[in-house]
Amino acid sequence: MSTVDANQASGAPVPHSHAVDHGHGGEHAKHPFLAHHFETPAQQFDSSKLGMWLFLATEVLFFGGLFVAYAVLRNRFPEVFSYASHYLSTTMGGINTCVLIVSSLTMASAVYFAQRSRKRAMLVCLWLTMAGAAAFMVIKYFEYTHKIHEHLVWGSTFYVPPDHEIAVIEGSHEIAAPAAVAQGGASSHATAATSHAASTSTDSVGEVLAPAAMLAAGGSPSFVGAPLTELSAVKPASRGPLGVALSGSTDAAPHGSETIAEGHPSAHLEDATMPANVHLFFAVYYAMTGLHGVHVLVGMVVIGMLIYRGMRGDFNSNFYTPVDLVGLYWHIVDLIWIFLFPLFYLIH
Amino acid sequence: MTTLEAHKPETLDIHASSDNYLTHSKGFISWACTLDHKRIGVMYLVGVLGAFFVGGIFAILVRTELLAPGPTIVGPFAKWMGMDPADVYNQWFTLHGAIMVFLVIIPSIPAALGNFILPVMLGAKDVAFPKLNLFSFYLWVIGALMAVLSLLMGGFDTGWTFYTPYSTTSPAGGVIPIVAGAFILGFSSIFTGMNFIVTIHKLRPPGMTWFKMPLFLWAIYSTAIIQVLATPVLAITLLLLIIERTVNIGIFNPSMGGDPVLYQHFFWFYSHPAVYIMIVPAMGIVSELISVHSHRHIFGYRFIAFSSVAIAMFSFIVWGHHMFTSGQSALMNTIFSAISFSVGIPSAVKVFNWTITLYKGNISLNTPMLYGLAFLFLFTIGGLTGLHLATLSVDVHLHDTYFVVAHFHYVMMGSALIAMIGGLHHWWPKITGRMYNENWGRFAWVLVFVGFNVTFFTQFMLGSQGMPRRYYDYLPEFQTYHVISTVGSYIMSVGFFITAGYLLASLVNGKRAPANPWGGRSLEWQCPSPPPHDNFKTPPRVGDCYDFSIVRWSDEENGYVVDRSLDPSLRENPTPAKGH
Amino acid sequence: MSHEPHSPPPIEAAAGGHAHAAVHPAGDQPLVGHLVPMTTLVVTACALLVLTCITVAVRYMDIGEFNIYIALGIAVIKASLVALFFMHLRWDRPFNMIVFFGCVLFVVLMMGFCLMDTSQYRHEQINGNPPLVAETLLQNAPNAPVGRFDQ
């Protein structure tokens, strides 16, 4: 989208034979970048800028929807957010924040040098911005792969142990018992850990489970609601990165995020104090940071195009609109991350 | 306007020349790659009318099915597609709704007519971003192709609103393509809106101040604000829906702790303003129709202009009235109900002003005017029944009945589409350079108007008696109403086919249109029909676009001309203004 | 909107009371737009980095509810710095500022209404899972925290 916008704004000379028919041939002859339907470069520049700001407004509302989802879910499950936040690496998030801020500075500097027709300096700044974007994505890649390895993912996979033949852990069996007993005779199925979808279980159970399966999307397992009474008796204040204790790590670092990250896959499933619906935190986390990451990638493409055009010598103090507009885009990407960082990584 | 030019004959550059936007360049490529807003508008028009035809077919299928209780015509389709009859019916009304909303009504006035008329009316050479304009047209095409793709992949039966959890669990194969299609159409709409806002802000020629703009431009401007501010929320909602359906993230899934009501909040945060994306530009057209065809200065110009902006703003804070029975909290129900009533104020301001404009006007009952008057009538009914539905207690009774169906058809079709057709007739001579047959036009209008009311007024009664929407089967006592309604829809279809017939015929053997066939005063009537490639050979002179006192009939032009010598302020001995 | 000039202004494009680019047909001065000194940019970036450090530090202080408000407050300050200085909004046309803050306002509006709604029915939500759903949970992920219908 922004690509198109940048192209729009580029105002490359439009090959209209009648471009001089309007009695403004003088302006158009003086400024080869001036599109035929604009009268002056200032009008063209202002239009492009307003167009870009409107586009940024749509970006803000686009992310706004996700921020609302975040707010609603956090309002509903505060314990989930304060618990799950500790699985994120503040160090990596903090480094990424700084990387983006610095790349914003280099982008603003690129505009600064473009405005002064300093081509080489502008190109250096653009390359630096590109490097910042790449660094951000590399760090993000490591964060994502690590979490996926740990099964810290969205949806039902969050609860699926990596080893499907794993026996039911004694403690959780006990916890599960009351609910299973309430089922009346269904407790024998409680150990059927390998069964993934209700539809694949035995016939009788399949029938019993039909309404539940209907609730779940596409036959996937469903996870509902609040913790057991035993679990909810644990006060939120005492909830924390319990993986520290359970996974055997003795590192009592003040912030447990890194230590948890060292745990073996699905360590979180052994945490008896994990509140229900933690997968929702990761759903929102992946949705928001993923969409943001896509915007970073788009930004890299657009900056690449700027570098290409800059090397071709398209930009000077008379015409630098595309650099300015891509700069605006890049800053909004930074700006959104400025909100994502505390909302996900810095929940006390 | 300068006095030096006051007596310069205006008629010099309104003659149609051989070089207009249609003949400027030839060949398929010259259309497919055009950056000319007029050609893009025409392409939109063709696409929108094509989609209207397809959506209409599904409407007729739905109405025919409802001729009798039980399966009427779904049976053979169900056998052929190997589905349950109810699923076939679900697919029909879903397709009808989705096509009509996303492919027809939303782009009809802003993207098709707006693209063509807005820059000409404004006195600009083009929209601000011509390439973006073309791009947004192709996005529309891709969106339409996605709708076709979803049909091929097994259709979709979620209703046009894609409510979760139904849309995430529906077994129909075409849900993801159509949702992706709506996502893409959303971006088409966003880019069009951005383009129009920037055009109106930055490309107004000297003299075209905000309050000299024709009201159609105010309406398009208000619409564009809604498009830019609301549509991104639809985009993210549909994106989340796709993710939900594919990888099951659970944000909208109640069985995973998610919140399906949140989906409805998101959806209606866009889709209620989207209702105004449909109706506000229609109001703009009607302002033009009423004023031009009664040859009278629009009454309360600023009130109409600001009520457009007010409606745009109000539209963002009333979305909850779609969710009164969806588990929304009592507090929000009350708030949304109260705010919904207030939308009636700017709407009524407009209706009153149009009515007063008619008063003592010199009304010509041309086809466009007939559609304008139909709008006044139908919009009043549609708007007032909206107040019934905004009333909490009444809505609980009427929700999801045919009363709602009738209400939004009065607004969406009876108002938005009727105004669009009126605008199409109004600007048809400008777009094509040909006049259509006025008698056929009036005849078809009678069929459409009568057919529409027969179809949908009965549905108010059906709904108030409890006939729920979205069912192919019903109790026998509803049959009389359903039969009347179906007959009405047939009458209306005949009217539309006649309309299509004489409009197409006019392309072949229509009279050449003068520059100003109706006596309009705004700038688009001061350039030839069809307009030249660059709209105005000389920068147009901007005046009061509703001052018809200096518009006179000219026999040699066979149309109206703007004769500035009639302007009393420009002469020493003012002559009485001749209204025509 | 209405305070905007009716016709495109002459070469000095950017509104606002700050120094404007002079008209130079070529050379090192821009034809349009606003020049921001490099020191301003560097100072802004430094302020952003310092604020980042502060917001990380605040995370480790236990001040209850206020953590999120402080974090969001700092984020708003940082965002404003980016918008005003990096994005030249301070010297840009006022309407661009209206566009930007207008859209933020609409996000806040949507969030406010949605939160008002969901917090209204929060206490009415069923606490726990219906038996069949709980059973599904036990089937598929025995380690997951399973709720039970305990109305």
Side-chain angles (χ1 to χ4, degrees):
Chain A
M1 314 147 213
S2 58
T3 325
V4 178
D5 232 41
N7 284 343
Q8 271 315 313
S10 70
V14 184
H16 283 305
S17 55
H18 62 279
V20 289
D21 287 351
H22 309 314
H24 314 286
E27 281 289 322
H28 284 265
K30 244 191 295 177
H31 308 294
F33 53 83
L34 189 57
H36 80 109
H37 55 289
F38 290 112
E39 305 284 329
T40 60
Q43 189 192 21
Q44 175 166 326
F45 179 77
D46 275 359
S47 302
S48 307
K49 269 212 133 158
L50 177 57
M52 193 63 197
W53 275 106
L54 288 169
F55 177 73
L56 297 187
T58 68
E59 286 286 356
V60 168
L61 281 149
F62 193 57
F63 276 95
L66 285 173
F67 278 106
V68 174
Y70 173 94
V72 165
L73 290 175
R74 181 164 175 179
N75 185 39
R76 193 166 155 196
F77 305 112
E79 74 283 358
V80 164
F81 280 74
S82 63
Y83 170 86
S85 169
H86 293 276
Y87 285 104
L88 301 183
S89 162
T90 312
T91 318
M92 281 184 160
I95 291 174
N96 255 351
T97 310
C98 296
V99 165
L100 270 195
I101 288 173
V102 172
S103 79
S104 251
L105 173 64
T106 57
M107 191 69 226
S109 311
V111 176
Y112 174 92
F113 290 121
Q115 284 176 327
R116 288 160 179 79
S117 294
R118 288 166 66 181
K119 180 178 159 185
R120 183 172 299 272
M122 178 195 79
L123 283 173
V124 168
C125 284
L126 286 177
W127 277 114
L128 285 174
T129 314
M130 183 77 117
F136 180 89
M137 288 316 289
V138 167
I139 295 174
K140 203 85 223 145
Y141 170 80
F142 281 116
E143 274 192 86
Y144 275 1
T145 45
H146 192 78
K147 281 185 190 57
I148 289 167
H149 175 69
E150 301 277 305
H151 278 259
L152 292 166
V153 290
W154 60 87
S156 44
T157 325
F158 184 80
Y159 299 103
V160 177
D163 184 0
H164 286 209
E165 267 121 53
I166 193 167
V168 177
I169 293 148
E170 211 51 40
S172 62
H173 188 89
E174 275 168 24
I175 289 168
V181 169
Q183 264 311 100
S187 58
S188 61
H189 297 289
T191 51
T194 50
S195 160
H196 272 201
S199 54
T200 60
S201 43
T202 60
D203 280 351
S204 59
V205 174
E207 238 179 276
V208 170
L209 294 181
M214 262 169 56
L215 278 173
S220 307
S222 54
F223 303 96
V224 182
L228 282 172
T229 33
E230 293 92 316
L231 287 186
S232 53
V234 181
K235 286 201 174 66
S238 69
R239 283 203 187 110
L242 264 286
V244 176
L246 289 179
S247 63
S249 166
T250 52
D251 184 2
H255 49 288
S257 49
E258 283 78 11
T259 51
I260 281 187
E262 297 302 317
H264 64 79
S266 299
H268 58 280
L269 287 184
E270 293 164 23
D271 181 359
T273 57
M274 181 172 73
N277 291 317
V278 175
H279 62 274
L280 279 178
F281 173 86
F282 287 98
V284 184
Y285 167 78
Y286 282 106
M288 295 185 85
T289 57
L291 193 64
H292 179 264
V294 170
H295 278 79
V296 174
L297 289 178
V298 170
M300 289 174 75
V301 172
V302 194
I303 293 169
M305 285 161 57
L306 277 191
I307 291 174
Y308 170 74
R309 290 187 65 183
M311 284 164 71
R312 207 170 60 180
D314 281 7
F315 307 129
N316 54 50
S317 59
N318 280 343
F319 178 67
Y320 62 92
T321 318
V323 189
D324 207 16
L325 299 193
V326 172
L328 289 180
Y329 172 81
W330 190 249
H331 296 312
I332 205 92
V333 171
D334 180 27
L335 204 147
I336 286 165
W337 182 260
I338 283 176
F339 282 94
L340 291 185
F341 175 57
L343 286 182
F344 282 109
Y345 293 82
L346 301 181
I347 304 173
H348 184 74
Chain B
M1 53 188 99
T2 58
T3 44
L4 275 180
E5 288 178 315
H7 295 283
K8 188 175 150 196
E10 283 289 311
T11 52
L12 272 184
D13 58 350
I14 62 168
H15 287 285
S17 64
S18 57
D19 180 38
N20 59 46
Y21 81 99
L22 293 167
T23 57
H24 184 70
S25 52
K26 290 207 188 306
F28 177 76
I29 298 294
S30 80
W31 279 82
C33 300
T34 185
L35 297 178
D36 183 353
H37 69 95
K38 297 181 287 297
R39 288 192 167 193
I40 293 171
V42 169
M43 293 195 293
Y44 261 120
L45 193 60
V46 172
V48 163
L49 292 177
F52 180 54
F53 178 70
V54 177
I57 287 178
F58 284 107
I60 292 299
L61 283 174
V62 165
R63 279 314 323 164
T64 308
E65 166 55 37
L66 290 168
L67 267 175
T72 313
I73 58 167
V74 282
F77 287 95
K79 198 172 284 173
W80 175 49
M81 303 200 298
M83 285 197 292
D84 188 74
D87 287 338
V88 175
Y89 183 77
N90 286 350
Q91 292 216 353
W92 285 354
F93 73 69
T94 303
L95 277 162
H96 167 68
I99 290 176
M100 286 300 194
V101 169
F102 291 116
L103 285 171
V104 180
I105 306 181
I106 288 179
S108 66
I109 299 176
L113 291 178
N115 246 324
F116 191 98
I117 295 300
L118 178 139
V120 192
M121 225 178 198
L122 197 66
K125 295 182 193 98
D126 208 327
V127 292
F129 309 119
K131 286 180 220 159
L132 189 66
N133 201 14
L134 184 67
F135 179 66
S136 88
F137 171 70
Y138 281 114
L139 284 182
W140 184 90
V141 172
I142 294 171
L145 290 177
M146 295 293 272
V148 175
L149 181 69
S150 92
L151 271 182
L152 297 178
M153 287 174 66
F156 53 104
D157 55 359
T158 58
W160 76 276
T161 51
F162 311 121
Y163 271 9
T164 53
Y166 191 52
S167 54
T168 47
T169 55
S170 160
V175 174
I176 287 180
I178 190 64
V179 171
F183 177 84
I184 292 167
L185 289 170
F187 276 98
S188 167
S189 181
I190 288 175
F191 291 143
T192 304
M194 275 168 51
N195 229 331
F196 288 171
I197 291 182
V198 178
T199 308
I200 290 177
H201 266 274
K202 301 294 180 192
L203 293 187
R204 276 173 291 132
M208 179 63 89
T209 60
W210 280 94
F211 292 107
K212 280 192 177 154
M213 291 199 314
L215 288 166
F216 180 60
L217 298 185
W218 274 96
I220 290 282
Y221 182 76
S222 313
T223 310
I225 293 177
I226 309 177
Q227 285 176 309
V228 166
L229 285 179
T231 318
V233 178
L234 174 78
I236 192 64
T237 312
L238 297 181
L239 197 61
L240 281 176
L241 181 58
I242 292 174
I243 299 172
E244 182 91 45
R245 196 176 157 90
T246 47
V247 299
N248 194 21
I249 56 171
I251 291 178
F252 297 137
N253 186 347
S255 64
M256 295 177 74
D259 191 349
V261 180
L262 186 64
Y263 173 86
Q264 297 189 18
H265 276 301
F266 280 3
F267 184 81
W268 290 112
F269 185 84
Y270 161 74
S271 279
H272 190 77
V275 170
Y276 293 93
I277 293 177
M278 308 180 211
I279 193 69
V280 171
M283 292 166 161
I285 287 184
V286 170
S287 302
E288 300 299 314
L289 297 184
I290 298 275
S291 173
V292 170
H293 292 273
S294 42
H295 305 277
R296 189 156 182 269
H297 196 292
I298 192 91
F299 188 88
Y301 172 93
R302 290 197 182 212
F303 276 96
I304 298 184
F306 281 125
S307 64
S308 291
V309 181
I311 290 177
M313 292 300 135
F314 271 123
S315 71
F316 282 95
I317 45 176
V318 297
W319 78 83
H321 66 219
H322 297 266
M323 302 161 57
F324 285 162
T325 61
S326 296
Q328 187 177 235
S329 61
L331 172 73
M332 294 317 289
N333 279 352
T334 318
I335 292 175
F336 279 127
S337 172
I339 305 176
S340 299
F341 286 124
S342 61
V343 183
I345 297 168
S347 312
V349 163
K350 281 171 182 285
V351 172
F352 293 146
N353 280 311
W354 293 324
T355 317
I356 300 169
T357 306
L358 289 172
Y359 178 66
K360 284 190 178 172
N362 189 354
I363 298 173
S364 330
L365 287 177
N366 303 314
T367 314
M369 184 59 167
L370 291 174
Y371 280 104
L373 295 175
F375 175 97
L376 273 185
F377 185 73
L378 302 176
F379 177 71
T380 306
I381 295 179
L384 288 177
T385 50
L387 293 181
H388 301 171
L389 293 172
T391 315
L392 269 175
S393 52
V394 179
D395 184 71
V396 171
H397 174 64
L398 293 176
H399 186 80
D400 263 354
T401 68
Y402 267 78
F403 193 92
V404 178
V405 176
H407 158 69
F408 72 70
H409 277 90
Y410 263 86
V411 182
M412 299 290 85
M413 179 167 189
S415 307
L417 266 177
I418 290 287
M420 192 265 176
I421 294 168
L424 183 64
H425 283 86
H426 186 63
W427 286 303
W428 184 263
K430 187 55 65 186
I431 295 171
T432 64
R434 303 284 185 165
M435 300 298 290
Y436 51 84
N437 186 315
E438 195 62 51
N439 290 329
W440 277 111
R442 289 175 187 149
F443 176 63
W445 174 81
V446 171
L447 291 182
V448 170
F449 185 68
V450 171
F452 178 86
N453 282 297
V454 170
T455 309
F456 292 109
F457 204 83
T458 36
Q459 295 186 1
F460 280 125
M461 297 178 235
L462 268 177
S464 57
Q465 293 175 19
M467 169 77 206
R469 63 193 280 207
R470 295 180 168 169
Y471 286 83
Y472 77 98
D473 200 358
Y474 53 84
L475 298 175
E477 60 256 39
F478 292 129
Q479 190 174 5
T480 317
Y481 289 124
H482 272 303
V483 169
I484 296 173
S485 181
T486 303
V487 169
S489 73
Y490 293 159
I491 298 174
M492 194 165 34
S493 323
V494 173
F496 283 131
F497 275 112
I498 294 174
T499 308
Y502 68 75
L503 285 181
L504 290 175
S506 79
L507 295 178
V508 183
N509 57 12
K511 277 190 301 180
R512 291 232 167 254
N516 190 352
W518 313 121
R521 176 75 164 78
S522 45
L523 293 180
E524 83 269 28
W525 303 113
Q526 297 178 42
C527 76
S529 304
H533 178 76
D534 47 356
N535 296 351
F536 296 100
K537 292 197 168 63
T538 54
R541 288 195 301 156
V542 181
D544 182 349
C545 55
Y546 294 107
D547 176 15
F548 299 102
S549 63
I550 60 168
V551 180
R552 68 170 172 84
W553 177 262
S554 156
D555 279 333
E556 71 226 57
E557 293 295 330
N558 197 24
Y560 291 84
V561 288
V562 174
D563 187 350
R564 285 177 205 281
S565 65
L566 293 174
D567 189 337
S569 68
L570 298 175
R571 290 169 62 105
E572 282 182 328
N573 300 316
T575 51
K578 254 196 284 182
H580 193 86
Chain C
M1 298 158 230
S2 54
H3 55 259
E4 277 225 299
H6 302 133
S7 56
I11 296 299
E12 295 88 6
H18 212 261
H20 283 150
V23 187
H24 284 282
D28 59 349
Q29 288 292 322
L31 194 61
V32 288
H34 179 262
L35 289 173
V36 179
M38 186 52 95
T39 41
T40 311
L41 298 179
V42 174
V43 167
T44 308
C46 293
L48 289 172
L49 291 173
V50 169
L51 284 170
T52 306
C53 296
I54 294 176
T55 193
V56 172
V58 168
R59 182 229 169 145
Y60 298 109
M61 295 195 298
D62 187 6
I63 39 179
E65 284 259 308
F66 289 101
N67 271 99
I68 181 165
Y69 298 117
I70 291 176
L72 279 181
I74 293 176
V76 167
I77 294 171
K78 284 165 74 181
S80 311
L81 286 178
V82 171
L84 290 177
F85 296 103
F86 280 171
M87 300 169 95
H88 297 202
L89 206 49
R90 187 171 179 278
W91 306 280
D92 211 337
R93 288 202 172 278
F95 189 71
N96 291 349
M97 184 110 68
I98 294 174
V99 168
F100 189 59
F101 288 104
C103 72
V104 173
L105 187 76
F106 274 87
V107 173
V108 172
L109 182 93
M110 177 163 69
M111 192 179 287
F113 274 24
C114 289
L115 280 180
M116 267 165 84
D117 184 37
T118 50
S119 45
Q120 279 288 312
Y121 57 72
R122 193 177 165 203
H123 67 279
E124 292 171 4
Q125 277 163 347
I126 295 167
N127 189 21
N129 296 320
L132 294 176
V133 178
E135 175 59 20
T136 317
L137 294 182
L138 293 171
Q139 286 282 325
N140 295 296
N143 291 321
V146 176
R148 148 174 83 78
F149 190 66
D150 55 357
Q151 269 297 90

